Amino acid sequence: GQEKKEEAKGPAVQPKKTYEWKMVTTWPPNLPVLQTGAERFAKRVGEATGGQLKIEVFAGGELVPPLGVFDAVSEGTVECGSGASYYWAGKVPAAQWFAAVPFGFNAQGINAWFYSGGGLQLWEEVYAPFNVIPRPQGNTGVQMGGWFRKDMNTIDDYKGLKMRIPGLGGKVISKAGGTVVLLPGGEIFTSLERGVIDATEWVGPMHDLRMGFYKAAKNYYYPGWHEPGTCLEVMFNKKAYESLPVELQQTVDAVAAETNMWSLCEFEAGNGAALQTLISEHNVNLVRFPDQLMEDLRKLATETLEEEANKDPMSRKVHDAFLKFKAQVGVWGSVSENAYYNVIADKYALKK
Amino acid sequence: MFMEYLPGWMFLALTILLMIGFPVTFTLMGTALTFGLIGFGWDFFNLLPLRIWGVMTNVTLLAVPLFVFMGVMLERSGLAEELLDTMGLAFGRLRGGLAISVVIVGALLGASTGIVGATVVTMGLLAVPTMLKRGYQKELATGTVSASGTLGQIIPPSIVLVLIGDIVGVPVGDLFMGAVLPGMVLVGLYILYILIVSFIKPGWAPPIPKEELAALTPKIMLKKVCRAMFPPLFLMMAVLGSIFAGVASPTEAAGVGAVGATLLTIANKKFSMKILQEVMHSTMQLTCMVFIILVGAASFGLVFRGMGGDHLVREFLGGIAHHHGQWTVLFIVMGIIFVIGFFLDFIEITFIHVPVLAPIMIEFGFDPAWFCILIAVNLQTSFMTPPFGFSLFYLKAVTPPEISTGDIYRGIIPFVLFQLIGLLIVVMFPQLVTWLPSVVFR
Amino acid sequence: MGLIKTFCRWIDKLNTWVGHVVAWATAIVVAVVFIDVIMRYAFNISFVFTQELEWHLFAFIFLMGAGYTLLKDGHVRVDIIYQRCSPKTKAWINFLGVIFFLIPGCYMVIATSLNFVYNAWVVMEGSPDPGGIPYRFILKSFIPAGFVLILLQGLSLGGKSLLTILGKEIETEGER
Ligand code: NA
Ligand code: NA
């Protein structure tokens, strides 16, 4: 990082060192809440430090390709980055649990794990060999199950279903007999419209609306079991982070936590509005996955996660901690949020 | 002063150094390295392997070796010549008939990929030799091919529309539909130019000699046309058909085309181990040529950013928007993108400018989809403008040695002018963009 | 002189051999893509492994074939001036180009990518997708490997150009 000494303004004022950092992200320019969230983080850090730490943000592909973010931060060529930890599974299999795993935590759960259940320390431990320090910086909330050209009634309907779904969700689908298709972002729409694929998942209503998938597939399934509350991350190069005075480190941490909160709120508000648009303006057929189908997928997901956890000791350690904490908040959630949602759910009519 | 405008000096230096004639990609790398070391030192270059990795992992680029394979196979098997010859015969009475059929083939090929490197190389292999053999002027032949080979940029599916749509927040489907008519306008303009030029300068685009046409009875002609039209129809079915029938994604369709060309060669009893070897070697060389240029461009782009070149441009654009009315701003913006298109590739331009410009233009009340298409047409031009139009480099690599870079530069200029007329037409008639999506998507 | 000639000949042989091997990958990538399409459409079968293989092969081709392409003078030039030059002037352009552009350019890529590749080897980096090809560390190694081949071929080009400048006859392979 470039460091400059500012001129002392008077004899009483301590000269303060200023820092100019670069941040690279995995998101395309202007992508709502994901890229704009990273930009907001940078802007807020500048404001909160009185301009002492300035961060310039580069979208995916501007300086480095989206999936080069981790390497760039790890090397220290840029000081920080923003993304989601499952993108680094090829380097660090254990990283996946800190973004989203099928039938894993929702936003509330994963935040509780990070801030009050030792999750963040574990995450730091996983990234430590790479000289990278992670912080939660956003959350998508529960995503949508995806756009389907077919009806999904039982697990058998996955047999031969061609779906674009990356990562662990994809592995679950292929266990169910589905065909996982990898497509570059630009070819998803055409492929879905033409029927090269039968289904695709994306994010939630807010982002799906932008992609126009409602023109290509009739059924919009929920919930997004495969990404039930994806955590977005900001990561710092260890040396850069530690070169900051303690008060700046704490400011950066605080702004990350604040942006985490902001991001979830944006998703919550934006998804609600977009879903209304999709239903009332585009006549999307909103369908809930049948319970039995969910149950069957859950079994396959459990298998998948076990297999992943057996790949290396770190993954095992993270997975066990994850399950332990999930049980802890799960018990409470089933009598608190879950029960309460069930009580008020029918008060929100989806149509009209 | 020198350090402030370092990015500008870098462009100037590159322009001069390229003229010396050492391979483009190494000249790009050497220039970038020198200016990078002056501008910010060595550390920043650590991002370079990541950029190369970005090229390696860009799955859509896979269309290049696949389409090139198809093109080389058609060329080596002699099928391409037969095909274009017959098309020329079919349009034979018309001056410039062969060139017109080349434009149409280019548009069809463009409808199956968005990767310019793939279409220009394929078209260059297929069409240039035939046109030269028929006595076409070098400039007209190469201009026609590099312009129509670039049509894939705007005719959907198109990478640039996907990128721009993503940045501006317009659904890709709308943009694809919106680009159809402007794409056809460009096709029409190219054809118009060819018609005009072949009437003013008959020697540049000779019609098929009368004797040759007279020797063909309508019956023989029909037979010949049917025979020659079968392979291209078969290939179009293989490539476009597999996209539209939902068999393959656009990139994969290129692979279907490559297999289709091989099958045609086998069916025509032209296939041999020797042909296959030649095809594989040419495909490899052309693929390497295209992508090692991209690696050179990646290092150049990295240095441009590292020196804050994007800031210079952004500040300038932001400044204009505050001081002028909407049409003036649009005019200036289009002019700037056009000029910058001489030097930077479309991804850089899209990432640097569109995020700054789009909100301003939408604020002015312009239709977002229309603005996206305008930028796309403008960026398409950037592939064709000398001295750094990538289409021109790609074409140079596949044409016979007697065609010089100068021929290619001279040949493209009229097409660039007609391209600008096309841009103007889209500016004046926004309905060209907005009408089709409104009909198709209710 | 003899040493330079021998050196050039060995490099040319090496890249010719590499080129012959890499050329096959172009036919293989066509086949893999086609088979993937057919399997998916006709039998609803698809593997992450083969889908990744498509672009792994593509990356392999353009990096490892680049040295051979240089041998065949396949990297495009702006030849407005170049084509009018005498063989000796062309040799000067190539000689100086190798010294000032090619060698520094290749050095830049090789030097910066070594650490990048090393980091991938340390963790034996694989695909982030379950079922993907677990050899990303090998794929990444093609960056420095490919540019070493280009560098060597560049040295050969420089050597041959030097001989031409000095007026020594040399049988040149692939010059045009
Ligand atoms: Na998702
Ligand atoms: Na296209």
Side-chain angles (χ1 to χ4, degrees):
Chain A
Q2 298 165 294
E3 296 165 9
K4 292 180 189 163
K5 284 228 163 138
E6 238 179 27
E7 293 284 316
K9 285 181 184 123
V13 185
Q14 280 273 328
K16 276 194 175 168
K17 216 175 177 184
T18 61
Y19 302 82
E20 285 178 22
W21 279 12
K22 288 190 171 69
M23 174 193 254
V24 288
T25 81
T26 55
W27 322 112
N30 284 6
L31 188 68
V33 198
L34 301 165
Q35 176 64 13
T36 58
E39 280 160 10
R40 183 183 188 277
F41 169 81
K43 182 164 160 272
R44 294 282 297 131
V45 166
E47 288 165 0
T49 61
Q52 212 188 330
L53 173 53
K54 285 188 194 128
I55 303 179
E56 187 186 359
V57 184
F58 296 87
E62 281 193 66
L63 266 190
V64 298
L67 300 186
V69 167
F70 192 86
D71 277 321
V73 175
S74 171
E75 272 290 292
T77 321
V78 296
E79 292 79 5
C80 54
S82 174
S85 63
Y86 51 30
Y87 292 139
W88 327 124
K91 288 181 175 296
V92 215
Q96 306 177 82
W97 278 268
F98 304 105
V101 297
F103 295 96
F105 285 126
N106 62 1
Q108 200 162 347
I110 203 166
N111 280 329
W113 187 43
F114 284 140
Y115 298 126
S116 309
L120 182 53
Q121 276 148 291
L122 208 51
W123 194 3
E124 286 175 346
E125 193 183 328
V126 168
Y127 277 11
F130 302 91
N131 294 318
V132 175
I133 298 175
R135 295 284 179 263
Q137 179 236 278
N139 200 297
T140 67
V142 184
Q143 301 193 358
M144 285 296 283
W147 299 85
F148 290 72
R149 291 161 63 93
K150 298 182 171 164
D151 295 335
M152 304 305 290
N153 297 317
T154 71
I155 191 84
D156 289 334
D157 290 327
Y158 276 106
K159 292 223 163 71
L161 182 95
K162 288 169 275 194
M163 182 166 185
R164 189 217 74 106
I165 173 170
L168 291 173
K171 178 124 190 243
V172 173
I173 296 301
S174 63
K175 267 182 184 286
T179 302
V180 175
V181 183
L182 304 178
L183 285 172
E187 297 200 341
I188 302 173
F189 179 85
T190 316
S191 301
L192 184 65
E193 194 201 17
R194 295 286 157 215
V196 175
I197 51 174
D198 305 309
T200 184
E201 64 83 47
W202 194 237
V203 189
M206 186 177 19
H207 291 83
D208 294 13
L209 178 64
R210 271 168 61 99
M211 293 292 279
F213 289 134
Y214 55 89
K215 290 166 188 165
K218 59 182 169 110
N219 296 329
Y220 196 20
Y221 273 90
Y222 70 97
W225 54 271
H226 60 293
E227 295 204 45
T230 306
C231 174
L232 316 170
E233 65 187 351
V234 59
M235 54 176 120
F236 305 97
N237 175 270
K238 185 159 176 277
K239 210 169 131 204
Y241 184 85
E242 283 171 355
S243 75
L244 296 177
V246 177
E247 66 269 23
L248 283 196
Q249 291 178 7
Q250 290 185 348
T251 311
V252 165
D253 287 358
V255 175
E258 182 224 28
T259 312
N260 187 14
M261 178 67 169
W262 171 86
S263 162
L264 183 60
C265 296
E266 286 289 305
F267 268 105
E268 203 69 5
N271 278 335
L275 186 63
Q276 270 307 324
T277 310
L278 283 170
I279 295 170
S280 45
E281 282 180 33
H282 302 299
N283 300 312
V284 162
N285 187 28
L286 194 66
V287 203
R288 181 171 163 169
F289 283 121
D291 290 344
Q292 187 55 48
L293 186 147
M294 280 288 93
E295 209 37 55
D296 294 338
L297 284 179
R298 182 204 299 275
K299 280 192 200 109
L300 297 174
T302 311
E303 267 176 42
T304 305
L305 286 175
E306 274 302 316
E307 287 166 20
E308 286 296 304
N310 285 336
K311 278 188 179 164
D312 64 322
M314 196 39 138
S315 295
R316 170 52 62 192
K317 184 175 169 187
V318 173
H319 182 56
D320 288 349
F322 185 93
L323 286 187
K324 193 166 163 233
F325 194 76
K326 197 171 160 231
Q328 182 183 329
V329 290
V331 174
W332 168 236
S334 63
V335 301
S336 59
E337 303 295 329
N338 187 27
Y340 181 66
Y341 267 124
N342 282 338
V343 171
I344 61 170
D346 56 354
K347 304 284 195 295
Y348 304 117
L350 279 172
K351 297 208 171 179
K352 287 275 142 49
Chain B
M1 260 316 251
F2 180 76
M3 288 305 275
E4 243 174 90
Y5 293 104
L6 206 53
W9 293 113
M10 181 167 72
F11 284 128
L12 188 67
L14 181 68
T15 312
I16 295 166
L17 293 172
L18 274 180
M19 292 302 158
I20 297 173
F22 197 65
V24 170
T25 181
F26 305 116
T27 313
L28 278 164
M29 286 183 208
T31 313
L33 179 63
T34 310
F35 278 84
L37 289 178
I38 299 172
F40 46 74
W42 177 258
D43 276 355
F44 201 61
F45 283 105
N46 283 322
L47 296 177
L48 183 58
L50 288 169
R51 287 203 148 207
I52 299 174
W53 180 241
V55 177
M56 295 163 73
T57 52
N58 188 337
V59 183
T60 20
L61 296 176
L62 182 62
V64 173
L66 300 175
F67 263 123
V68 170
F69 192 98
M70 175 180 103
V72 179
M73 182 61 87
L74 284 178
E75 186 228 7
R76 289 293 139 89
S77 65
L79 284 171
E81 200 183 336
E82 195 180 336
L83 150 69
L84 279 157
D85 241 19
T86 317
M87 281 182 86
L89 281 179
F91 289 93
R93 267 157 251 277
L94 201 61
R95 286 183 200 158
L98 183 57
I100 292 171
S101 42
V102 167
V103 173
I104 293 168
V105 171
L108 288 174
L109 212 52
S112 52
T113 181
I115 306 292
V116 169
T119 37
V120 171
V121 168
T122 313
M123 297 282 297
L125 285 167
L126 303 185
V128 174
T130 315
M131 291 169 92
L132 293 184
K133 207 185 91 194
R134 283 288 173 192
Y136 271 64
Q137 185 218 26
K138 282 181 197 167
E139 282 87 343
L140 183 61
T142 54
T144 306
V145 169
S146 36
S148 45
T150 316
L151 281 169
Q153 180 81 356
I154 185 82
I155 294 178
S158 140
I159 301 295
V160 71
L161 288 179
V162 171
L163 286 177
I164 297 180
D166 211 30
I167 294 170
V168 180
V170 182
V172 178
D174 283 3
L175 284 187
F176 278 9
M177 273 300 151
V180 171
L181 291 181
M184 282 159 79
V185 167
L186 290 178
V187 172
L189 284 168
Y190 294 170
I191 292 178
L192 183 68
Y193 166 69
I194 292 166
L195 285 176
I196 294 173
V197 102
S198 50
F199 273 93
I200 300 176
K201 302 263 183 192
W204 287 12
I208 307 293
K210 287 244 163 53
E211 313 79 71
E212 197 177 333
L213 281 178
L216 294 169
T217 63
K219 210 172 169 185
I220 299 176
M221 181 73 184
L222 191 71
K223 218 168 148 188
K224 219 174 148 78
V225 168
C226 286
R227 215 183 93 82
M229 288 310 279
F230 172 74
L233 282 178
F234 175 82
L235 270 188
M236 285 305 156
M237 284 281 288
V239 177
L240 291 183
S242 59
I243 296 174
F244 285 97
V247 178
S249 72
T251 302
E252 293 169 336
V256 177
V259 172
T262 314
L263 291 179
L264 282 176
T265 310
I266 295 173
N268 266 17
K269 303 197 175 66
K270 298 267 170 63
F271 189 84
S272 68
M273 207 52 208
K274 187 168 163 283
I275 294 269
L276 180 65
Q277 288 274 2
E278 282 175 24
V279 170
M280 293 189 317
H281 274 84
S282 293
T283 306
M284 171 181 66
Q285 279 189 48
L286 292 171
T287 305
C288 292
M289 181 274 294
V290 169
F291 287 103
I292 299 299
I293 288 194
L294 283 189
V295 170
S299 37
F300 195 76
L302 180 69
V303 172
F304 179 73
R305 288 209 154 247
M307 293 191 308
D310 46 342
H311 289 292
L312 277 182
V313 178
R314 269 183 199 175
E315 274 165 30
F316 182 64
L317 287 172
I320 295 168
H322 287 295
H323 299 108
H324 302 277
Q326 51 174 351
W327 291 104
T328 320
V329 173
L330 183 74
F331 183 77
I332 297 175
V333 159
M334 285 296 146
I336 290 171
I337 293 185
F338 179 75
V339 173
I340 293 181
F342 282 41
F343 302 99
L344 287 183
D345 77 292
F346 75 96
I347 296 181
E348 297 284 340
I349 299 178
T350 309
F351 276 3
I352 296 169
H353 302 104
V354 177
V356 191
L357 297 174
I360 301 172
M361 298 323 238
I362 294 168
E363 186 99 327
F364 276 137
F366 291 123
D367 181 73
W370 172 76
F371 178 66
C372 291
I373 303 278
L374 280 188
I375 293 192
V377 176
N378 203 333
L379 289 181
Q380 188 201 336
T381 319
S382 77
F383 275 88
M384 299 157 42
T385 42
F388 298 112
F390 277 20
S391 293
L392 311 177
F393 290 153
Y394 297 153
L395 186 65
K396 175 72 189 96
V398 292
T399 45
E402 68 260 27
I403 291 188
S404 71
T405 311
D407 296 329
I408 294 177
Y409 284 177
R410 279 190 301 278
I412 196 64
I413 289 168
F415 284 95
V416 171
L417 292 178
F418 272 73
Q419 181 87 9
L420 291 178
I421 296 174
L423 189 63
L424 198 66
I425 293 176
V426 182
V427 170
M428 290 192 302
F429 303 102
Q431 304 90 314
L432 281 171
V433 174
T434 50
W435 178 72
L436 201 54
S438 71
V439 180
V440 175
F441 296 132
R442 274 173 296 127
Chain C
M1 287 314 124
L3 203 66
I4 297 180
K5 257 186 203 172
T6 318
F7 175 78
C8 295
R9 204 170 297 138
W10 273 102
I11 305 266
D12 292 359
K13 271 202 183 125
L14 171 72
N15 265 323
T16 306
W17 182 79
V18 173
H20 285 313
V21 174
V22 177
W24 276 100
T26 63
I28 295 172
V29 77
V30 169
V32 171
V33 171
F34 187 70
I35 292 169
D36 270 355
V37 170
I38 296 298
M39 293 291 272
R40 190 183 62 223
Y41 187 71
F43 308 107
N44 285 324
I45 300 171
S46 184
F47 304 100
V48 171
F49 190 90
T50 51
Q51 294 178 58
E52 286 193 350
L53 184 61
E54 294 174 3
W55 62 264
H56 278 50
L57 281 169
F58 148 71
F60 170 75
I61 293 168
F62 86 77
L63 287 166
M64 299 304 280
Y68 177 79
T69 307
L70 182 60
L71 170 67
K72 296 288 176 188
D73 198 21
H75 291 293
V76 69
R77 307 167 181 264
V78 176
D79 62 355
I80 293 181
I81 297 168
Y82 184 81
Q83 63 162 358
R84 293 191 174 86
C85 296
S86 67
K88 206 155 199 171
T89 317
K90 280 185 183 172
W92 269 109
I93 290 174
N94 285 328
F95 182 71
L96 295 175
V98 166
I99 304 265
F100 288 106
F101 297 141
L102 192 143
I103 294 175
C106 289
Y107 173 76
M108 167 174 79
V109 176
I110 295 165
T112 54
S113 64
L114 284 181
N115 209 15
F116 173 71
V117 172
Y118 173 79
N119 289 339
W121 276 81
V122 169
V123 293
M124 303 288 250
E125 185 173 351
S127 165
D129 263 297
I133 299 178
Y135 305 118
R136 293 255 160 122
F137 58 101
I138 295 178
L139 188 65
K140 286 184 171 180
S141 312
F142 289 137
I143 300 178
F147 274 82
V148 165
L149 288 176
I150 300 177
L151 179 63
L152 289 175
Q153 196 57 54
L155 293 177
S156 165
L157 173 64
K160 284 184 257 181
S161 306
L162 186 65
L163 292 177
T164 311
I165 292 168
L166 298 175
K168 310 273 172 192
E169 276 309 305
I170 178 169
E171 72 288 16
T172 46
E173 201 178 324
E175 289 278 328
R176 73 176 189 202

